[in-house]
PDB file of all heavy atoms in Angstrom:
ATOM      1  N   SER A 119       7.791  11.251-146.033  1.00  0.00           N
ATOM      2  CA  SER A 119       8.307  11.788-147.292  1.00  0.00           C
ATOM      3  C   SER A 119       9.052  10.720-148.094  1.00  0.00           C
ATOM      4  O   SER A 119       8.938  10.686-149.325  1.00  0.00           O
ATOM      5  CB  SER A 119       9.180  13.025-147.043  1.00  0.00           C
ATOM      6  OG  SER A 119      10.201  12.723-146.144  1.00  0.00           O
ATOM      7  N   VAL A 120       9.781   9.837-147.407  1.00  0.00           N
ATOM      8  CA  VAL A 120      10.461   8.748-148.141  1.00  0.00           C
ATOM      9  C   VAL A 120       9.413   7.870-148.826  1.00  0.00           C
ATOM     10  O   VAL A 120       9.549   7.494-149.996  1.00  0.00           O
ATOM     11  CB  VAL A 120      11.360   7.923-147.186  1.00  0.00           C
ATOM     12  CG1 VAL A 120      11.776   6.603-147.820  1.00  0.00           C
ATOM     13  CG2 VAL A 120      12.592   8.734-146.797  1.00  0.00           C
ATOM     14  N   ARG A 121       8.338   7.565-148.106  1.00  0.00           N
ATOM     15  CA  ARG A 121       7.280   6.740-148.711  1.00  0.00           C
ATOM     16  C   ARG A 121       6.628   7.463-149.905  1.00  0.00           C
ATOM     17  O   ARG A 121       6.324   6.838-150.930  1.00  0.00           O
ATOM     18  CB  ARG A 121       6.207   6.407-147.665  1.00  0.00           C
ATOM     19  CG  ARG A 121       6.662   5.341-146.693  1.00  0.00           C
ATOM     20  CD  ARG A 121       5.654   5.136-145.567  1.00  0.00           C
ATOM     21  NE  ARG A 121       6.253   4.408-144.479  1.00  0.00           N
ATOM     22  CZ  ARG A 121       6.317   3.078-144.403  1.00  0.00           C
ATOM     23  NH1 ARG A 121       5.779   2.348-145.346  1.00  0.00           N
ATOM     24  NH2 ARG A 121       6.915   2.494-143.390  1.00  0.00           N
ATOM     25  N   ALA A 122       6.420   8.780-149.746  1.00  0.00           N
ATOM     26  CA  ALA A 122       5.784   9.542-150.840  1.00  0.00           C
ATOM     27  C   ALA A 122       6.685   9.523-152.081  1.00  0.00           C
ATOM     28  O   ALA A 122       6.203   9.391-153.212  1.00  0.00           O
ATOM     29  CB  ALA A 122       5.522  10.977-150.391  1.00  0.00           C
ATOM     30  N   ALA A 123       7.988   9.652-151.869  1.00  0.00           N
ATOM     31  CA  ALA A 123       8.920   9.644-153.015  1.00  0.00           C
ATOM     32  C   ALA A 123       8.954   8.269-153.676  1.00  0.00           C
ATOM     33  O   ALA A 123       8.874   8.159-154.907  1.00  0.00           O
ATOM     34  CB  ALA A 123      10.322  10.043-152.534  1.00  0.00           C
ATOM     35  N   LEU A 124       9.050   7.223-152.864  1.00  0.00           N
ATOM     36  CA  LEU A 124       9.098   5.868-153.443  1.00  0.00           C
ATOM     37  C   LEU A 124       7.796   5.544-154.183  1.00  0.00           C
ATOM     38  O   LEU A 124       7.817   4.878-155.218  1.00  0.00           O
ATOM     39  CB  LEU A 124       9.364   4.825-152.344  1.00  0.00           C
ATOM     40  CG  LEU A 124      10.773   4.836-151.737  1.00  0.00           C
ATOM     41  CD1 LEU A 124      10.864   3.834-150.584  1.00  0.00           C
ATOM     42  CD2 LEU A 124      11.842   4.527-152.786  1.00  0.00           C
ATOM     43  N   ALA A 125       6.684   6.019-153.637  1.00  0.00           N
ATOM     44  CA  ALA A 125       5.383   5.746-154.281  1.00  0.00           C
ATOM     45  C   ALA A 125       5.355   6.308-155.707  1.00  0.00           C
ATOM     46  O   ALA A 125       4.699   5.755-156.585  1.00  0.00           O
ATOM     47  CB  ALA A 125       4.257   6.349-153.447  1.00  0.00           C
ATOM     48  N   ARG A 126       6.114   7.397-155.913  1.00  0.00           N
ATOM     49  CA  ARG A 126       6.190   7.979-157.276  1.00  0.00           C
ATOM     50  C   ARG A 126       7.243   7.281-158.129  1.00  0.00           C
ATOM     51  O   ARG A 126       7.487   7.684-159.265  1.00  0.00           O
ATOM     52  CB  ARG A 126       6.612   9.453-157.196  1.00  0.00           C
ATOM     53  CG  ARG A 126       5.582  10.399-156.689  1.00  0.00           C
ATOM     54  CD  ARG A 126       6.228  11.773-156.458  1.00  0.00           C
ATOM     55  NE  ARG A 126       6.544  12.499-157.680  1.00  0.00           N
ATOM     56  CZ  ARG A 126       7.293  13.601-157.744  1.00  0.00           C
ATOM     57  NH1 ARG A 126       7.816  14.105-156.623  1.00  0.00           N
ATOM     58  NH2 ARG A 126       7.544  14.203-158.878  1.00  0.00           N
ATOM     59  N   GLY A 127       7.946   6.321-157.530  1.00  0.00           N
ATOM     60  CA  GLY A 127       9.029   5.643-158.259  1.00  0.00           C
ATOM     61  C   GLY A 127      10.309   6.453-158.286  1.00  0.00           C
ATOM     62  O   GLY A 127      11.229   6.163-159.059  1.00  0.00           O
ATOM     63  N   LEU A 128      10.404   7.489-157.404  1.00  0.00           N
ATOM     64  CA  LEU A 128      11.652   8.276-157.350  1.00  0.00           C
ATOM     65  C   LEU A 128      12.738   7.488-156.627  1.00  0.00           C
ATOM     66  O   LEU A 128      12.450   6.713-155.713  1.00  0.00           O
ATOM     67  CB  LEU A 128      11.417   9.586-156.575  1.00  0.00           C
ATOM     68  CG  LEU A 128      10.476  10.620-157.165  1.00  0.00           C
ATOM     69  CD1 LEU A 128      10.436  11.848-156.255  1.00  0.00           C
ATOM     70  CD2 LEU A 128      10.924  11.020-158.575  1.00  0.00           C
ATOM     71  N   HIS A 129      13.970   7.733-157.002  1.00  0.00           N
ATOM     72  CA  HIS A 129      15.087   7.192-156.231  1.00  0.00           C
ATOM     73  C   HIS A 129      15.186   7.973-154.918  1.00  0.00           C
ATOM     74  O   HIS A 129      14.865   9.168-154.871  1.00  0.00           O
ATOM     75  CB  HIS A 129      16.404   7.361-156.993  1.00  0.00           C
ATOM     76  CG  HIS A 129      16.389   6.699-158.340  1.00  0.00           C
ATOM     77  ND1 HIS A 129      16.171   5.348-158.508  1.00  0.00           N
ATOM     78  CD2 HIS A 129      16.559   7.206-159.592  1.00  0.00           C
ATOM     79  CE1 HIS A 129      16.215   5.046-159.784  1.00  0.00           C
ATOM     80  NE2 HIS A 129      16.445   6.164-160.476  1.00  0.00           N
ATOM     81  N   VAL A 130      15.650   7.296-153.869  1.00  0.00           N
ATOM     82  CA  VAL A 130      15.767   7.933-152.558  1.00  0.00           C
ATOM     83  C   VAL A 130      17.162   7.692-152.013  1.00  0.00           C
ATOM     84  O   VAL A 130      17.727   6.603-152.135  1.00  0.00           O
ATOM     85  CB  VAL A 130      14.707   7.365-151.575  1.00  0.00           C
ATOM     86  CG1 VAL A 130      14.968   7.839-150.148  1.00  0.00           C
ATOM     87  CG2 VAL A 130      13.299   7.774-152.013  1.00  0.00           C
ATOM     88  N   VAL A 131      17.715   8.747-151.399  1.00  0.00           N
ATOM     89  CA  VAL A 131      18.979   8.622-150.658  1.00  0.00           C
ATOM     90  C   VAL A 131      18.691   9.122-149.243  1.00  0.00           C
ATOM     91  O   VAL A 131      18.069  10.172-149.068  1.00  0.00           O
ATOM     92  CB  VAL A 131      20.102   9.476-151.297  1.00  0.00           C
ATOM     93  CG1 VAL A 131      21.364   9.420-150.448  1.00  0.00           C
ATOM     94  CG2 VAL A 131      20.393   8.998-152.716  1.00  0.00           C
ATOM     95  N   THR A 132      19.127   8.364-148.250  1.00  0.00           N
ATOM     96  CA  THR A 132      18.921   8.804-146.870  1.00  0.00           C
ATOM     97  C   THR A 132      20.125   8.446-146.008  1.00  0.00           C
ATOM     98  O   THR A 132      20.841   7.484-146.309  1.00  0.00           O
ATOM     99  CB  THR A 132      17.634   8.199-146.269  1.00  0.00           C
ATOM    100  OG1 THR A 132      17.470   8.658-144.931  1.00  0.00           O
ATOM    101  CG2 THR A 132      17.667   6.674-146.250  1.00  0.00           C
ATOM    102  N   ALA A 133      20.326   9.251-144.946  1.00  0.00           N
ATOM    103  CA  ALA A 133      21.382   8.947-143.958  1.00  0.00           C
ATOM    104  C   ALA A 133      20.740   8.497-142.653  1.00  0.00           C
ATOM    105  O   ALA A 133      21.394   8.434-141.622  1.00  0.00           O
ATOM    106  CB  ALA A 133      22.209  10.219-143.715  1.00  0.00           C
ATOM    107  N   ASN A 134      19.457   8.137-142.735  1.00  0.00           N
ATOM    108  CA  ASN A 134      18.637   7.979-141.535  1.00  0.00           C
ATOM    109  C   ASN A 134      18.587   6.526-141.053  1.00  0.00           C
ATOM    110  O   ASN A 134      17.723   5.746-141.451  1.00  0.00           O
ATOM    111  CB  ASN A 134      17.228   8.499-141.874  1.00  0.00           C
ATOM    112  CG  ASN A 134      16.339   8.582-140.682  1.00  0.00           C
ATOM    113  OD1 ASN A 134      16.542   7.910-139.683  1.00  0.00           O
ATOM    114  ND2 ASN A 134      15.318   9.409-140.793  1.00  0.00           N
ATOM    115  N   LYS A 135      19.528   6.189-140.170  1.00  0.00           N
ATOM    116  CA  LYS A 135      19.582   4.800-139.673  1.00  0.00           C
ATOM    117  C   LYS A 135      18.420   4.454-138.773  1.00  0.00           C
ATOM    118  O   LYS A 135      17.987   3.311-138.707  1.00  0.00           O
ATOM    119  CB  LYS A 135      20.915   4.540-138.964  1.00  0.00           C
ATOM    120  CG  LYS A 135      21.281   5.539-137.878  1.00  0.00           C
ATOM    121  CD  LYS A 135      22.101   6.690-138.418  1.00  0.00           C
ATOM    122  CE  LYS A 135      22.264   7.794-137.412  1.00  0.00           C
ATOM    123  NZ  LYS A 135      23.371   8.664-137.673  1.00  0.00           N
ATOM    124  N   ALA A 136      17.878   5.455-138.053  1.00  0.00           N
ATOM    125  CA  ALA A 136      16.745   5.177-137.165  1.00  0.00           C
ATOM    126  C   ALA A 136      15.534   4.728-137.980  1.00  0.00           C
ATOM    127  O   ALA A 136      14.842   3.770-137.616  1.00  0.00           O
ATOM    128  CB  ALA A 136      16.409   6.425-136.349  1.00  0.00           C
ATOM    129  N   LEU A 137      15.301   5.399-139.097  1.00  0.00           N
ATOM    130  CA  LEU A 137      14.185   5.035-139.980  1.00  0.00           C
ATOM    131  C   LEU A 137      14.400   3.642-140.576  1.00  0.00           C
ATOM    132  O   LEU A 137      13.502   2.799-140.566  1.00  0.00           O
ATOM    133  CB  LEU A 137      14.069   6.081-141.100  1.00  0.00           C
ATOM    134  CG  LEU A 137      13.027   5.796-142.183  1.00  0.00           C
ATOM    135  CD1 LEU A 137      11.621   5.902-141.631  1.00  0.00           C
ATOM    136  CD2 LEU A 137      13.199   6.763-143.358  1.00  0.00           C
ATOM    137  N   LEU A 138      15.616   3.394-141.072  1.00  0.00           N
ATOM    138  CA  LEU A 138      15.888   2.105-141.713  1.00  0.00           C
ATOM    139  C   LEU A 138      15.831   0.964-140.705  1.00  0.00           C
ATOM    140  O   LEU A 138      15.368  -0.128-141.017  1.00  0.00           O
ATOM    141  CB  LEU A 138      17.261   2.136-142.396  1.00  0.00           C
ATOM    142  CG  LEU A 138      17.345   3.085-143.599  1.00  0.00           C
ATOM    143  CD1 LEU A 138      18.790   3.284-144.029  1.00  0.00           C
ATOM    144  CD2 LEU A 138      16.512   2.563-144.769  1.00  0.00           C
ATOM    145  N   ALA A 139      16.303   1.229-139.480  1.00  0.00           N
ATOM    146  CA  ALA A 139      16.261   0.173-138.455  1.00  0.00           C
ATOM    147  C   ALA A 139      14.817  -0.176-138.114  1.00  0.00           C
ATOM    148  O   ALA A 139      14.504  -1.307-137.780  1.00  0.00           O
ATOM    149  CB  ALA A 139      17.008   0.633-137.204  1.00  0.00           C
ATOM    150  N   ARG A 140      13.931   0.798-138.202  1.00  0.00           N
ATOM    151  CA  ARG A 140      12.520   0.533-137.861  1.00  0.00           C
ATOM    152  C   ARG A 140      11.771  -0.125-139.020  1.00  0.00           C
ATOM    153  O   ARG A 140      11.031  -1.087-138.812  1.00  0.00           O
ATOM    154  CB  ARG A 140      11.806   1.836-137.472  1.00  0.00           C
ATOM    155  CG  ARG A 140      10.385   1.606-136.958  1.00  0.00           C
ATOM    156  CD  ARG A 140       9.699   2.884-136.549  1.00  0.00           C
ATOM    157  NE  ARG A 140       9.372   3.744-137.671  1.00  0.00           N
ATOM    158  CZ  ARG A 140       8.333   3.566-138.503  1.00  0.00           C
ATOM    159  NH1 ARG A 140       7.515   2.545-138.344  1.00  0.00           N
ATOM    160  NH2 ARG A 140       8.121   4.409-139.502  1.00  0.00           N
ATOM    161  N   CYS A 141      11.956   0.386-140.253  1.00  0.00           N
ATOM    162  CA  CYS A 141      11.107  -0.133-141.348  1.00  0.00           C
ATOM    163  C   CYS A 141      11.877  -0.269-142.664  1.00  0.00           C
ATOM    164  O   CYS A 141      11.308  -0.109-143.732  1.00  0.00           O
ATOM    165  CB  CYS A 141       9.872   0.743-141.523  1.00  0.00           C
ATOM    166  SG  CYS A 141      10.241   2.474-141.838  1.00  0.00           S
ATOM    167  N   GLY A 142      13.192  -0.548-142.557  1.00  0.00           N
ATOM    168  CA  GLY A 142      14.031  -0.639-143.755  1.00  0.00           C
ATOM    169  C   GLY A 142      13.598  -1.737-144.712  1.00  0.00           C
ATOM    170  O   GLY A 142      13.675  -1.562-145.937  1.00  0.00           O
ATOM    171  N   VAL A 143      13.131  -2.871-144.186  1.00  0.00           N
ATOM    172  CA  VAL A 143      12.751  -3.978-145.070  1.00  0.00           C
ATOM    173  C   VAL A 143      11.507  -3.588-145.878  1.00  0.00           C
ATOM    174  O   VAL A 143      11.421  -3.832-147.083  1.00  0.00           O
ATOM    175  CB  VAL A 143      12.509  -5.273-144.259  1.00  0.00           C
ATOM    176  CG1 VAL A 143      11.991  -6.378-145.164  1.00  0.00           C
ATOM    177  CG2 VAL A 143      13.796  -5.710-143.563  1.00  0.00           C
ATOM    178  N   GLU A 144      10.573  -2.944-145.183  1.00  0.00           N
ATOM    179  CA  GLU A 144       9.345  -2.505-145.861  1.00  0.00           C
ATOM    180  C   GLU A 144       9.677  -1.488-146.961  1.00  0.00           C
ATOM    181  O   GLU A 144       9.172  -1.578-148.090  1.00  0.00           O
ATOM    182  CB  GLU A 144       8.441  -1.867-144.798  1.00  0.00           C
ATOM    183  CG  GLU A 144       6.998  -1.741-145.183  1.00  0.00           C
ATOM    184  CD  GLU A 144       6.253  -0.873-144.168  1.00  0.00           C
ATOM    185  OE1 GLU A 144       6.685  -0.800-142.991  1.00  0.00           O
ATOM    186  OE2 GLU A 144       5.268  -0.258-144.570  1.00  0.00           O
ATOM    187  N   LEU A 145      10.546  -0.534-146.643  1.00  0.00           N
ATOM    188  CA  LEU A 145      10.923   0.486-147.633  1.00  0.00           C
ATOM    189  C   LEU A 145      11.684  -0.150-148.795  1.00  0.00           C
ATOM    190  O   LEU A 145      11.483   0.217-149.957  1.00  0.00           O
ATOM    191  CB  LEU A 145      11.764   1.589-146.978  1.00  0.00           C
ATOM    192  CG  LEU A 145      11.059   2.406-145.887  1.00  0.00           C
ATOM    193  CD1 LEU A 145      12.036   3.392-145.248  1.00  0.00           C
ATOM    194  CD2 LEU A 145       9.838   3.140-146.454  1.00  0.00           C
ATOM    195  N   ALA A 146      12.549  -1.120-148.472  1.00  0.00           N
ATOM    196  CA  ALA A 146      13.298  -1.818-149.526  1.00  0.00           C
ATOM    197  C   ALA A 146      12.333  -2.532-150.463  1.00  0.00           C
ATOM    198  O   ALA A 146      12.506  -2.510-151.691  1.00  0.00           O
ATOM    199  CB  ALA A 146      14.276  -2.811-148.905  1.00  0.00           C
ATOM    200  N   ALA A 147      11.306  -3.151-149.890  1.00  0.00           N
ATOM    201  CA  ALA A 147      10.329  -3.886-150.722  1.00  0.00           C
ATOM    202  C   ALA A 147       9.609  -2.916-151.666  1.00  0.00           C
ATOM    203  O   ALA A 147       9.410  -3.225-152.851  1.00  0.00           O
ATOM    204  CB  ALA A 147       9.325  -4.608-149.830  1.00  0.00           C
ATOM    205  N   ILE A 148       9.254  -1.742-151.154  1.00  0.00           N
ATOM    206  CA  ILE A 148       8.570  -0.760-152.014  1.00  0.00           C
ATOM    207  C   ILE A 148       9.512  -0.312-153.134  1.00  0.00           C
ATOM    208  O   ILE A 148       9.141  -0.270-154.309  1.00  0.00           O
ATOM    209  CB  ILE A 148       8.091   0.457-151.186  1.00  0.00           C
ATOM    210  CG1 ILE A 148       7.118   0.030-150.090  1.00  0.00           C
ATOM    211  CG2 ILE A 148       7.437   1.500-152.100  1.00  0.00           C
ATOM    212  CD1 ILE A 148       6.769   1.133-149.094  1.00  0.00           C
ATOM    213  N   ALA A 149      10.761   0.006-152.764  1.00  0.00           N
ATOM    214  CA  ALA A 149      11.726   0.467-153.774  1.00  0.00           C
ATOM    215  C   ALA A 149      11.927  -0.606-154.840  1.00  0.00           C
ATOM    216  O   ALA A 149      11.942  -0.308-156.051  1.00  0.00           O
ATOM    217  CB  ALA A 149      13.055   0.816-153.100  1.00  0.00           C
ATOM    218  N   GLU A 150      12.076  -1.850-154.391  1.00  0.00           N
ATOM    219  CA  GLU A 150      12.319  -2.935-155.364  1.00  0.00           C
ATOM    220  C   GLU A 150      11.114  -3.126-156.283  1.00  0.00           C
ATOM    221  O   GLU A 150      11.263  -3.363-157.473  1.00  0.00           O
ATOM    222  CB  GLU A 150      12.694  -4.221-154.612  1.00  0.00           C
ATOM    223  CG  GLU A 150      14.138  -4.130-154.105  1.00  0.00           C
ATOM    224  CD  GLU A 150      14.518  -5.160-153.051  1.00  0.00           C
ATOM    225  OE1 GLU A 150      13.756  -6.119-152.825  1.00  0.00           O
ATOM    226  OE2 GLU A 150      15.599  -4.995-152.447  1.00  0.00           O
ATOM    227  N   GLU A 151       9.937  -3.013-155.725  1.00  0.00           N
ATOM    228  CA  GLU A 151       8.730  -3.156-156.548  1.00  0.00           C
ATOM    229  C   GLU A 151       8.639  -2.032-157.592  1.00  0.00           C
ATOM    230  O   GLU A 151       8.232  -2.242-158.722  1.00  0.00           O
ATOM    231  CB  GLU A 151       7.516  -3.131-155.617  1.00  0.00           C
ATOM    232  CG  GLU A 151       6.225  -3.587-156.272  1.00  0.00           C
ATOM    233  CD  GLU A 151       5.067  -2.682-155.896  1.00  0.00           C
ATOM    234  OE1 GLU A 151       4.924  -2.397-154.691  1.00  0.00           O
ATOM    235  OE2 GLU A 151       4.353  -2.239-156.822  1.00  0.00           O
ATOM    236  N   LYS A 152       9.089  -0.841-157.179  1.00  0.00           N
ATOM    237  CA  LYS A 152       8.996   0.318-158.076  1.00  0.00           C
ATOM    238  C   LYS A 152      10.188   0.429-159.032  1.00  0.00           C
ATOM    239  O   LYS A 152      10.247   1.334-159.861  1.00  0.00           O
ATOM    240  CB  LYS A 152       8.940   1.615-157.246  1.00  0.00           C
ATOM    241  CG  LYS A 152       7.665   1.751-156.432  1.00  0.00           C
ATOM    242  CD  LYS A 152       6.527   2.184-157.328  1.00  0.00           C
ATOM    243  CE  LYS A 152       5.232   2.366-156.577  1.00  0.00           C
ATOM    244  NZ  LYS A 152       4.121   2.690-157.472  1.00  0.00           N
ATOM    245  N   GLY A 153      11.191  -0.420-158.824  1.00  0.00           N
ATOM    246  CA  GLY A 153      12.405  -0.318-159.655  1.00  0.00           C
ATOM    247  C   GLY A 153      13.224   0.910-159.315  1.00  0.00           C
ATOM    248  O   GLY A 153      14.005   1.410-160.133  1.00  0.00           O
TER     249      GLY A 153
END
Side-chain angles (χ1 to χ4, degrees):
S119 55
V120 165
R121 284 173 196 274
L124 290 175
R126 287 171 73 191
L128 294 182
H129 302 301
V130 170
V131 175
T132 180
N134 188 337
K135 52 269 170 160
L137 175 68
L138 293 168
R140 186 179 70 78
C141 57
V143 175
E144 198 190 334
L145 297 176
I148 300 171
E150 284 165 12
E151 193 223 312
K152 293 282 181 184

